Amino acid sequence: MSPPEVPWKKHDRIEAADTKLQEILAEAERLIEDRSPQSHDEVDLLRQEIELLRQSSTECKRAEEALGGHLKIVQLLSASATHLLEPLPENEVFEYTARQLHMIAGNAIVVVSDYDPTTNQTTVRAVAGPEQKLQRELALLGRSLVGLAFTVAEGTLSIVVPGNLARVGGGLYDLSFRQLPETVCREIEQKLDLGEVYVMPFVQGEDYMGSVAIITDRNEGLINRGEIELLVNQAGLALKRNRAEAALKEYADRLKRSNEDLERFAYVSSHDLQEPLRTIVTFTQLLERRYKGQMDKDADEYIGFIVEAGTRMQTLINDLLDFSRVSTRGGAFAIVDTEALLDQTLANLQTKIEDSGAEITRDPLPRVKADPSQLVQVFQNLIGNAIKFRREGVQPRIHLSARRTNGMVQFSVADNGIGIDPQYLGRIFVIFQRLHGRDKYPGTGIGLAITKRIVERHGGRIWAESEPGTGSIFYFTIPA
Ligand code: ADP
C-alpha cells in the first residue's frame, strides 16, 4: 500500500563539473610549480586564487546538498499528501505517518498515539526510528511501545497547542512511561541518548484525537519544524476523514438494517393480521345475512359499520403488503421497451379510460433498464390518478413524454385535472396520505408511496409540479 520511498539523486552534472574543476585546479598548481615563475609573490597570489576557487566550489556543493535535503522533504510531503488522500485503514494512517515523520526528523524516534475519550486513554499505535535505537529500546523495555496505553495526566494536554508542535519538558517520561518509575525512564533516556520531546496533537474541531511525539537525539535539535507540522496536519485530516467515513458507513449500515427490520415487520404483521381480520369480516357478514331485520335498526347499522371497517382494513393491509413487496418481491432488471409496457398499462386501464373518455397521447418512448412489471405499476398508478383526479365536465387529456438526462431517462405524465396545492406536493408520496375524503375520490393513499418506492429501487427519483385547477405533471427518472 505504501508508496516507494522518494530517492534523492545528486545532480550528476554538478558533480561532474566539480570533479572537473578540482582537476583543473590541481593541473594549475602543477603548472605553477613547473614553470618556476619570476616572483614568489605572483605564485602566492595564484595559490590564493586557487584556494578561493576551491572554497567556493565546496560552498556550492554544500548549498547543493542543502537544496537536495529540502527537495527530498518536498517530495516526501507531496508523496504523503497523495497517499493520505487515499482511503486507508486507520492503522496504515498511523504507521505511515510515523515512518514519514521519522524520515523528515532525521534521527528522531517518532511515536504516534490514538486517544480514546471514553476511557481517557492514549494508546501508542505506531513507532518509527533508527533501527538500532528501536532494538535497544526493545531490549531495555522488554516490549515494544506499540500497544502501550497510558492516561494523559491532567494539564499535560494544555501545553500541546492544536496545530502546533510543542516542546514538552521531561523527555520520554512525560510522554509514555508515566507508569514506569522515573529512574527507569531516565535510564532509558540516557542509554538511548534521547534529547527533547515535541508533541503535536491531531485535533478534530475541538476534539483531541491523538498525538504525534518526536523524540530527538540528545545532540540534535529539531530542525524541520514546519515540515513536521505540515505532515501531522495532513495525517490529522486523513484521520478525520477516515473517521467521518467510518461513522457514515456505520450509519448507512444501521439504516439499512433498520429498514430491513421494518420491512420484515410490515410484511409479517400485515400477513398475520389478514387471518383474524378475515374471520371477523366473514362472521359479521354471516350475522348480517342471517339476522338482518330480526334485531333492531341500530343493530343492523352497527353490523354494517363493522363489515365496512373490516373490509377497509383488509384493503389497507393488502396495500401495506404490496408496499413491502416492492423491495422483497421485486423482479430482475432488464432492458425493456417502454412503448410496449405502456400499451400493456393502457390495456389494464381500458375500462377506466373508456368510462372517463380520457385521451392519452405520447411522444416516442425509449428503452430503459427496469423491472418490467414494476414499471407497468408506476405507469398504471400515475395514469390511473390522472384519470381519477380529473376536473368535472372537462375531458381528461394525459400526455406522456421522456427525455434523456445524465444517464437516466426522465419520464413525465401530464394531466389537465384538478391539480395539487403546491404546499402538499411533498406529502402526497407519503404512505396513506391523501388530500381528499374517500367519499369524493376512492383510494387509500398508497399508490404514490408504492410508485416512489419502485422508482427509488431503480435508483431514480420522483416529484410533481402542479397548478391547482389546471393540471399536474409527475416526473420520474429510471436508468437509461
Ligand atoms: P390515492 O390515489 O389512493 O388517494 P395516491 O398515493 O395515489 O393515493 O395519491 C395521493 C394523493 O395525491 C391523492 O389522494 C391526491 O390527493 C393526490 N394526487 C395524486 N395524483 C394526482 C393527480 N394526478 N392530480 C391531482 N391530485 C393527485
Side-chain angles (χ1 to χ4, degrees):
M1 264 298 237
S2 50
E5 204 181 300
V6 186
W8 159 248
K9 212 167 148 295
K10 270 198 172 174
H11 208 301
D12 290 344
R13 266 193 319 154
I14 296 183
E15 185 79 351
D18 185 58
T19 317
K20 192 84 196 150
L21 180 69
Q22 298 302 338
E23 281 170 19
I24 293 171
L25 291 178
E27 179 67 15
E29 258 184 336
R30 229 189 20 259
L31 285 174
I32 295 166
E33 295 290 333
D34 289 355
R35 297 230 175 132
S36 47
Q38 299 88 335
S39 93
H40 280 290
D41 284 355
E42 245 175 276
V43 174
D44 282 347
L45 217 65
L46 280 169
R47 286 226 164 97
Q48 272 170 24
E49 272 178 21
I50 289 175
E51 199 39 49
L52 273 174
L53 274 170
R54 277 220 172 93
Q55 269 172 22
S56 62
S57 141
T58 317
E59 270 165 27
C60 197
K61 271 176 83 178
R62 254 191 233 126
E64 193 217 354
E65 300 260 349
L67 193 69
H70 282 305
L71 196 64
K72 183 179 173 176
I73 288 177
V74 170
Q75 286 176 327
L76 204 125
L77 282 171
S78 108
S80 47
T82 317
H83 189 57
L84 288 169
L85 267 180
E86 289 168 25
L88 302 171
E90 199 164 286
N91 247 1
E92 169 68 8
V93 176
F94 287 121
E95 280 163 19
Y96 181 77
T97 308
R99 284 199 305 273
Q100 297 294 92
L101 278 175
H102 164 60
M103 280 199 258
I104 292 182
N107 257 348
I109 295 182
V110 179
V111 181
V112 183
S113 306
D114 180 19
Y115 175 69
D116 180 355
T118 50
T119 56
N120 192 29
Q121 284 226 317
T122 296
T123 308
V124 176
R125 299 284 295 267
V127 176
E131 198 48 44
Q132 257 185 337
K133 260 192 192 174
L134 292 184
Q135 290 300 336
R136 284 199 72 188
E137 173 206 289
L138 200 68
L140 285 165
L141 268 176
R143 59 160 296 173
S144 158
L145 272 180
V146 179
L148 196 84
F150 54 95
T151 310
V152 177
E154 238 174 81
T156 315
L157 284 181
S158 59
I159 52 162
V160 181
V161 188
N164 238 318
L165 199 63
R167 221 197 77 176
V168 296
L172 262 188
Y173 172 69
D174 275 306
L175 179 73
S176 315
F177 302 135
R178 217 166 252 277
Q179 70 226 67
L180 294 181
E182 189 167 349
T183 44
V184 179
C185 296
R186 296 285 166 247
E187 194 191 323
I188 295 172
E189 279 179 42
Q190 211 128 55
K191 291 206 168 140
L192 290 179
D193 204 22
L194 299 176
E196 284 163 337
V197 180
Y198 293 82
V199 175
M200 185 171 168
F202 295 124
V203 282
Q204 179 178 10
E206 294 285 288
D207 298 333
Y208 169 72
M209 295 189 290
S211 64
V212 159
I214 320 256
I215 306 157
T216 60
D217 225 57
R218 182 158 303 227
N219 306 315
E220 282 179 39
L222 198 61
I223 29 172
N224 303 311
R225 264 186 96 100
E227 286 90 348
I228 289 170
E229 286 180 2
L230 216 71
L231 205 139
V232 176
N233 283 333
Q234 284 175 0
L237 274 176
L239 216 56
K240 183 174 162 178
R241 201 200 45 226
N242 228 296
R243 292 189 177 170
E245 271 168 16
L248 205 68
K249 188 175 174 304
E250 200 197 309
Y251 180 70
D253 286 349
R254 233 184 309 141
L255 207 66
K256 188 165 169 270
R257 271 199 305 277
S258 91
N259 237 339
E260 284 165 1
D261 285 352
L262 216 63
E263 239 161 45
R264 211 167 304 126
F265 172 75
Y267 183 77
V268 170
S269 53
S270 33
H271 192 265
D272 290 355
L273 281 173
Q274 273 182 325
E275 181 53 37
L277 193 60
R278 205 174 296 130
T279 313
I280 294 173
V281 172
T282 315
F283 279 92
T284 323
Q285 281 169 334
L286 213 66
L287 264 182
E288 192 181 31
R289 241 177 285 139
R290 208 176 277 180
Y291 299 103
K292 195 170 179 166
Q294 294 181 34
M295 295 177 284
D296 64 12
K297 223 175 104 240
D298 281 354
D300 287 348
E301 203 182 13
Y302 297 159
I303 289 175
F305 287 155
I306 299 175
V307 173
E308 194 205 301
T311 320
R312 188 148 49 88
M313 196 159 163
Q314 274 179 328
T315 319
L316 286 173
I317 286 175
N318 283 333
D319 283 351
L320 210 56
L321 269 174
D322 284 345
F323 183 76
S324 70
R325 278 185 187 127
V326 170
S327 48
T328 53
R329 303 274 168 92
F333 289 6
I335 303 290
V336 290
D337 175 5
T338 38
E339 297 266 3
L341 293 186
L342 188 59
D343 290 340
Q344 193 185 326
T345 311
L346 298 183
N348 296 347
L349 289 169
Q350 199 188 351
T351 322
K352 279 186 185 162
I353 295 171
E354 279 170 7
D355 290 352
S356 63
E359 179 195 83
I360 300 173
T361 52
R362 64 171 98 160
D363 289 340
L365 301 176
R367 287 169 178 273
V368 290
K369 193 164 183 221
D371 171 344
S373 69
Q374 286 195 336
L375 197 53
V376 168
Q377 215 177 335
V378 168
F379 281 135
Q380 199 159 318
N381 284 344
L382 295 180
I383 298 171
N385 276 350
I387 296 174
K388 180 161 61 171
F389 298 103
R390 60 184 178 271
R391 263 180 292 154
E392 245 181 74
V394 179
Q395 186 200 12
R397 287 182 206 281
I398 301 156
H399 183 72
L400 282 103
S401 60
R403 68 182 186 92
R404 279 176 195 279
T405 146
N406 297 331
M408 305 288 275
V409 173
Q410 179 183 309
F411 289 94
S412 64
V413 180
D415 66 45
N416 62 341
I418 59 171
I420 304 159
D421 189 333
Q423 63 173 314
Y424 301 126
L425 280 174
R427 205 200 279 182
I428 55 175
F429 296 101
V430 176
I431 191 165
F432 299 141
Q433 286 278 343
R434 318 194 63 231
L435 306 179
H436 308 278
R438 277 194 313 279
D439 42 344
K440 196 147 188 227
Y441 298 99
T444 56
I446 192 93
L448 286 182
I450 288 183
T451 307
K452 181 169 187 265
R453 213 167 153 84
I454 292 177
V455 170
E456 284 172 356
R457 179 175 170 243
H458 285 75
R461 189 168 93 70
I462 184 166
W463 68 101
E465 287 170 6
S466 181
E467 208 174 299
T470 307
S472 317
I473 309 179
F474 280 81
Y475 297 96
F476 66 94
T477 54
I478 294 283

